[in-house]
Amino acid sequence: MEIGQKVKVIRLRDRVSSPIAEKLGKIGIIEGYKVTDGAGIGVVVKFDDNFSTWFFDDEIKPA
């Protein structure tokens, strides 16, 4: 996945806060990457409401 690509949130691995849970099924744009725990790379996604957070690559798919 590349910066600027539109993606849809398809699942959440863990329990998350309410603002993040509300993004399930929503479409956003990749704005960067995040090293998670030394074993993986997360993807930072920004949504239309200017909220941004990161997801694992198996939590999103191209939109």
Side-chain angles (χ1 to χ4, degrees), residues 30-61:
I30 295 175
E31 64 175 16
Y33 303 101
K34 173 181 174 63
V35 176
T36 56
D37 57 6
I41 303 277
V43 180
V44 179
V45 178
K46 186 173 185 177
F47 298 91
D48 288 341
D49 60 1
N50 287 325
F51 179 85
S52 65
T53 190
W54 69 273
F55 298 95
F56 290 105
D57 61 350
D58 64 340
E59 296 178 311
I60 58 176
K61 71 174 186 178

Side-chain angles (χ1 to χ4, degrees), residues 4-53:
Q5 182 177 1
K6 286 188 177 184
V7 293
K8 182 176 184 176
V9 180
I10 56 169
R11 64 175 279 218
L12 300 170
R13 280 190 186 185
D14 301 315
R15 290 184 181 215
V16 294
S17 65
S18 191
I20 296 172
E22 292 172 1
K23 301 306 178 195
L24 188 59
K26 303 288 185 189
I27 294 175
I29 297 175
I30 295 175
E31 64 175 16
Y33 303 101
K34 173 181 174 63
V35 176
T36 56
D37 57 6
I41 303 277
V43 180
V44 179
V45 178
K46 186 173 185 177
F47 298 91
D48 288 341
D49 60 1
N50 287 325
F51 179 85
S52 65
T53 190

